Every structure is written in C-alpha cells, then in structure tokens.
Amino acid sequence: MLEIKNMSCGYGAFEAVGDLSLTLKPGSITGLLGANGAGKSSTLMCVAGHVAMKSGDMLFEGESISKLSPEQRVKRGIAISPEGRRLFKDLTVEDNLRVGGLIQPASHFAKDRDYVLSMFPRLGERLTSLAGNLSGGEQQMLAIGRALMTRPKLIMIDELSLGLMPKVIDLCYRALKQLQQDGMTILLVEQNTDRVLSVADDVCVLESGRTVWQGKADDARNDPTLAAAYLGLH
Ligand code: ATP
C-alpha cells in the first residue's frame, strides 16, 4: 500500500527523520512510536507532502508520490488528521466536513457525512456548532471525520489519544477498528503505547529521527528489552 524507502526529511538544513524505511500492508494498522521530538509527526507530514523530503522515495500503490503536491496525494487516497488537529475553528462542524469533502463530487457529501456521523454520533448533535467551541474529544472526532470525507485508502492520525478522556479514547479506538474493517489502512502516531499495541499489526519505533525497532506488534509486546528501553512498559 505505502512503501517508504530510505526517506529523510526535515526543516531547512535540519534533518528530523533519517533513512526511514517502512512498508504498510493494505488494511493494516501500523503504530509509529517514540518520545517527543523523535520525528513521528514529521514522518506523517512528509508522507502527506507538507514537509520536504530530502532523500529517498515513497511509493503508494506501487507508484512514486514523492513529487506530488499535498492535494494530489489526497486525491490518490492519502489523508491526515494532523497534530493539533488544525480545524477551521470559525466554521461549523458540518462546514469542516464539507471542506474535507471538497475534493469529492458534491453528490458524495451527504453519504460521506452520514458515514462520519455513524462513526461519531456525537458530531451529529453538534453539526451547527463552531469547531472552536467543541470539547477536545469532539475536535478529535471532527479532525478524523474531516480526513474521512476525502474517502481515503490510507488515513494517518497524529496523537489520537492526547488529552482525551478514557471514554473518548475508547470510542476513537473502536472507530479505528471499524475503519480497518471497512478496508482502510491506518498509520497511527501515539504516545500511549499500550493502546497502540492493543490494535496495531505492525510497529515502528523512532528515536531522534532514526528507526530503533520495527516489526510485529505482538513481538514488540513480548520483547522485554524494547519494552523497557523505548515503550515505557515493564
Ligand atoms: P512530538 O510528539 O513532540 O510532536 P514527534 O516525534 O512527532 O514529537 P516531530 O514533531 O516530528 O517529532 O519533531 C522532530 C524534530 O523536528 C524535533 O527535533 C522538532 O524540534 C523538529 N521540528 C518539528 N517541526 C519543526 C518545524 N516546523 N521547524 C523546525 N523544526 C521542527
């Protein structure tokens, strides 16, 4: 589905991620783990086309996307729910969804909105509220919902559970499983290691922009060295 080959990316002369190779299998959930500043958000933003790739290549469904604009990547089926959510705070919930759906024909809007609302019914009660007035959990649902409006094949979600109440985290993780059942491939950035390992098929651990561990989530759980050194599990 997505093949990242020896990718390096960063800001100006600064390299945030170096020589990352990562393959996402179709329909899988991959967790991208690591401490603050490890390069997780930069990786997602580079795949989405918002952070400059310095070297390497990225193939999506077998074709290089490295030179495509962010918009072209969305059209190919790559969506991101970014760090900080970046909602249009002065627009209503419904209009945020509408903006997400702009790359689709207008005739898709009602069906796609209803798909999002079936996943996050709470948003249905808030359709006319301004995004800036939503709770943190509602904003997270809306950020994911807006990404879903593009009809993605791959959805990348940054910091899914950050700052959310356990009940809302449960809801978001149930939604993830639903998306996977609906055929989507998911790349998930999280600091909540236990949660990621409970849903992920594969895991990649970054430290200072370098891959320090990569493999099956089951193996990550059972690797005591890894668990103690990088995952905060004991
Ligand atoms: P966090 O969870 O704190 O967001 P992260 O693993 O997602 O951490 P990144 O946000 O990708 O890490 O940051 C990787 C490195 O790139 C850090 O050293 C960070 O300071 C730097 N960085 C991130 N964004 C920028 C930017 N816009 N300009 C310059 N440097 C940046």
Side-chain angles (χ1 to χ4, degrees):
M1 152 73 46
L2 176 72
E3 209 180 331
I4 302 175
K5 293 172 147 183
N6 307 104
M7 180 273 276
S8 301
C9 69
Y11 310 87
F14 176 69
E15 186 181 271
V17 180
D19 202 27
L20 172 69
S21 292
L22 179 64
T23 299
L24 309 191
K25 294 189 275 302
S28 65
I29 299 180
T30 301
L32 194 54
L33 301 172
N36 280 336
K40 307 176 300 294
S41 301
S42 302
T43 300
L44 297 198
M45 292 297 269
C46 183
V47 174
H50 297 293
V51 164
M53 193 172 80
K54 293 171 179 294
S55 58
D57 200 3
M58 290 185 282
L59 305 183
F60 185 67
E61 298 185 310
E63 286 179 36
S64 178
I65 55 164
S66 301
K67 295 198 162 52
L68 298 185
S69 67
E71 190 187 348
Q72 286 169 321
R73 295 181 203 205
V74 175
K75 285 184 175 152
R76 292 280 178 101
I78 300 173
I80 184 167
S81 171
E83 187 175 30
R85 298 169 195 141
R86 302 196 189 188
L87 295 169
F88 302 104
K89 299 218 161 133
D90 299 329
L91 295 185
T92 63
V93 167
E94 181 150 40
D95 284 343
N96 270 272
L97 295 177
R98 206 177 290 284
V99 171
L102 280 179
I103 68 148
Q104 293 291 333
S107 58
H108 288 182
F109 175 72
K111 183 168 179 233
D112 293 350
R113 179 200 55 200
D114 290 349
Y115 175 69
V116 170
L117 299 185
S118 71
M119 193 147 308
F120 300 118
R122 177 70 188 145
L123 291 181
E125 299 161 21
R126 303 287 264 145
L127 275 179
T128 56
S129 303
L130 296 182
N133 292 340
L134 300 181
S135 70
E138 290 164 347
Q139 291 195 7
Q140 184 64 290
M141 295 174 210
L142 182 55
I144 297 168
R146 185 182 56 183
L148 290 174
M149 292 299 291
T150 66
R151 296 199 173 186
K153 297 172 186 166
L154 165 65
I155 180 164
M156 303 186 287
I157 304 175
D158 205 341
E159 300 287 13
L160 180 61
S161 65
L162 188 71
L164 304 185
M165 294 188 306
K167 209 171 70 181
V168 179
I169 299 176
D170 287 345
L171 193 150
C172 288
Y173 271 86
R174 274 201 303 277
L176 272 196
K177 292 302 280 182
Q178 182 65 50
L179 297 180
Q180 185 182 34
Q181 275 166 26
D182 292 346
M184 262 167 252
T185 305
I186 297 164
L187 180 56
L188 185 61
V189 161
E190 264 284 15
Q191 301 231 356
N192 189 333
T193 306
D194 286 339
R195 286 282 184 166
V196 177
L197 292 180
S198 71
V199 294
D201 302 293
D202 298 302
V203 166
C204 175
V205 184
L206 295 180
E207 189 186 48
S208 304
R210 297 277 158 175
T211 307
V212 289
W213 198 92
Q214 214 168 355
K216 297 245 147 260
D218 283 342
D219 295 335
R221 272 188 289 272
N222 298 325
D223 183 335
T225 330
L226 171 76
Y230 299 113
L231 303 182
L233 304 174
H234 301 283

